[in-house]
Amino acid sequence: MCYSCFDINATVKAGSLSGEAFLPFDIPPDAAIEYEVSMAIRPTAGASRDSNMIFSFESLMWLDNGNHWAFRCSLNACVETYGANISESTLEEHVLDTQPMLYDQRSEGYILATNRTLRKSVWNDCESTSWRTNTNNIAYPFSTDPSSNYGSTFSGQDDPEYNNGSFQFYPTDCLWSYGYNAAYALEAAHRRQFFNVRNLTTVHDDSYAPQTIDPAWLVKLYNGGRANIETVNLYMAGLAEAITANMREKGEPLPSGDAESTTHRSQTCIGARWAWLSLPAAMLVLTVIFLAVTILQTRTPAAWKSSATALLFHGFDDATRKVQRGAGDVYRLKSVVGDIRARVKNDGGDGWRFVKAQ
């Protein structure tokens, strides 16, 4: 279900009474506001009513700034194509395309032959033929008059014009209808129960601003005298969406099948920024190289200074041993050893010996 709203404040006329705190105003045909009425609502009638609209109403109201304002809103049947995404088990829908349906005089319902339709998530053109085929098997009355917005019932296989070229055949998913019974029930419910010659009564107090009572849905539309085209559009959008949701939930079921779409799944990916890793990587490589070179350079057996093996096999020279003999105990020996600096020397006959360094 779709809607439309228009500002018709230019049609407001002043009433004949004068001398009141609030002069009466009215709009055709008979919606009027005066001192005791904050907002008046009437179904649209006469020449102002568009036959392509299921239901229309007009309203005239006092605003909180003391001015008057009038608007007209309508509900009309339409074909909406939806796209949907499911993310984290939540369904999210959005409207891909909207096309209004037109009134059909013969069936008194609303019909639309769309130019394109969505099949398996891909838009396809709706191509008609003058004869029945396996895919184009529904007849639609095709009017050659470009000024005509009307057709006739497309059930018409028994129609005498069926075989004389007056019909075009379409695929089943390119023809849509909203029948008389459904349209009449919707129009009657809104015209009789919600928007049929209703007024919001004004309750005056010591302040200038009037207070309104009566139907809650009209109080919300009035919006405390601050209504404008934006708030009215929001109001009607909510009404149209509620009707659409009810039609989708409780309406005639469509042929169902598997929904074909693209499935997405979560996957963890790791990206490396090599520019930031180049410095620590270079340090690691250089450290490994330095360690390897150090091992190669120091693998020869020349580490005698940190081992007692050389001293056990070669010993001190005679002069140094005489000094060591003067130590009578272990403590004196530690003191003497701490003062001796030795080096390795080849004395010829005895080979390599440790001698006291000067």
Side-chain angles (χ1 to χ4, degrees), residues 244-283:
T244 300
N246 188 271
M247 292 168 58
R248 294 178 64 185
E249 180 180 356
K250 300 180 181 180
E252 296 181 2
L254 295 175
S256 60
D258 295 335
E260 298 189 14
S261 60
T262 302
T263 302
H264 300 272
R265 63 184 179 89
S266 299
Q267 183 176 1
T268 302
C269 299
I270 300 176
R273 297 190 176 184
W274 298 109
W276 293 97
L277 297 177
S278 59
L279 178 60
M283 294 295 295

Side-chain angles (χ1 to χ4, degrees), residues 268-338:
T268 302
C269 299
I270 300 176
R273 297 190 176 184
W274 298 109
W276 293 97
L277 297 177
S278 59
L279 178 60
M283 294 295 295
L284 177 61
V285 172
L286 293 176
T287 301
V288 172
I289 294 175
F290 179 77
L291 177 61
V293 172
T294 302
I295 294 174
L296 292 174
Q297 292 295 326
T298 59
R299 65 179 181 175
T300 57
W304 57 269
K305 293 184 179 181
S306 60
S307 175
T309 304
L311 183 61
L312 292 175
F313 280 95
H314 298 281
F316 287 100
D317 62 337
D318 294 338
T320 305
R321 286 202 299 270
K322 291 179 180 179
V323 176
Q324 294 175 346
R325 291 192 188 100
D329 51 29
V330 176
Y331 297 102
R332 177 60 181 167
L333 180 61
K334 289 182 177 181
S335 177
V336 173
V337 172

Side-chain angles (χ1 to χ4, degrees), residues 86-331:
I86 299 178
S87 178
E88 297 180 355
S89 302
T90 301
L91 174 64
E92 297 180 358
E93 291 186 331
H94 53 279
V95 178
L96 300 176
D97 183 64
T98 301
Q99 298 187 46
M101 304 179 72
L102 302 178
Y103 178 69
D104 177 64
Q105 286 182 323
R106 184 179 299 182
S107 67
E108 296 184 349
Y110 298 84
I111 297 176
L112 175 66
T114 57
N115 295 325
R116 60 177 186 168
T117 188
L118 202 61
R119 298 178 185 140
K120 297 181 179 180
S121 303
V122 177
W123 286 108
N124 292 266
D125 293 332
C126 292
E127 298 180 356
S128 64
T129 58
S130 299
W131 57 91
R132 183 185 298 274
T133 66
N134 292 333
T135 56
N136 293 20
N137 51 15
I138 296 184
Y140 180 74
F142 181 77
S143 175
T144 58
D145 181 6
S147 63
S148 174
N149 289 328
Y150 310 114
S152 60
T153 176
F154 59 83
S155 62
Q157 186 167 354
D158 298 330
D159 196 290
E161 299 178 351
Y162 181 77
N163 293 316
N164 65 2
S166 299
F167 286 89
Q168 292 290 305
F169 292 86
Y170 284 86
T172 56
D173 56 356
C174 292
L175 275 177
W176 302 85
S177 69
Y178 191 73
Y180 166 79
N181 292 334
Y184 177 77
L186 184 64
E187 187 272 341
H190 286 80
R191 175 171 50 85
R192 297 176 182 178
Q193 299 182 21
F194 300 108
F195 301 102
N196 182 32
V197 192
R198 289 184 177 272
N199 297 331
L200 277 185
T201 304
T202 304
V203 178
H204 295 277
D205 54 19
D206 295 336
S207 64
Y208 177 79
Q211 304 296 320
T212 55
I213 58 175
D214 289 329
W217 59 90
L218 296 186
V219 173
K220 183 177 181 179
L221 181 61
Y222 184 61
N223 195 29
R226 296 181 296 274
N228 52 48
I229 195 65
E230 287 79 14
T231 62
V232 170
N233 274 321
L234 288 175
Y235 181 93
M236 292 300 296
L239 178 60
E241 290 175 1
I243 297 174
T244 300
N246 188 271
M247 292 168 58
R248 294 178 64 185
E249 180 180 356
K250 300 180 181 180
E252 296 181 2
L254 295 175
S256 60
D258 295 335
E260 298 189 14
S261 60
T262 302
T263 302
H264 300 272
R265 63 184 179 89
S266 299
Q267 183 176 1
T268 302
C269 299
I270 300 176
R273 297 190 176 184
W274 298 109
W276 293 97
L277 297 177
S278 59
L279 178 60
M283 294 295 295
L284 177 61
V285 172
L286 293 176
T287 301
V288 172
I289 294 175
F290 179 77
L291 177 61
V293 172
T294 302
I295 294 174
L296 292 174
Q297 292 295 326
T298 59
R299 65 179 181 175
T300 57
W304 57 269
K305 293 184 179 181
S306 60
S307 175
T309 304
L311 183 61
L312 292 175
F313 280 95
H314 298 281
F316 287 100
D317 62 337
D318 294 338
T320 305
R321 286 202 299 270
K322 291 179 180 179
V323 176
Q324 294 175 346
R325 291 192 188 100
D329 51 29
V330 176
Y331 297 102

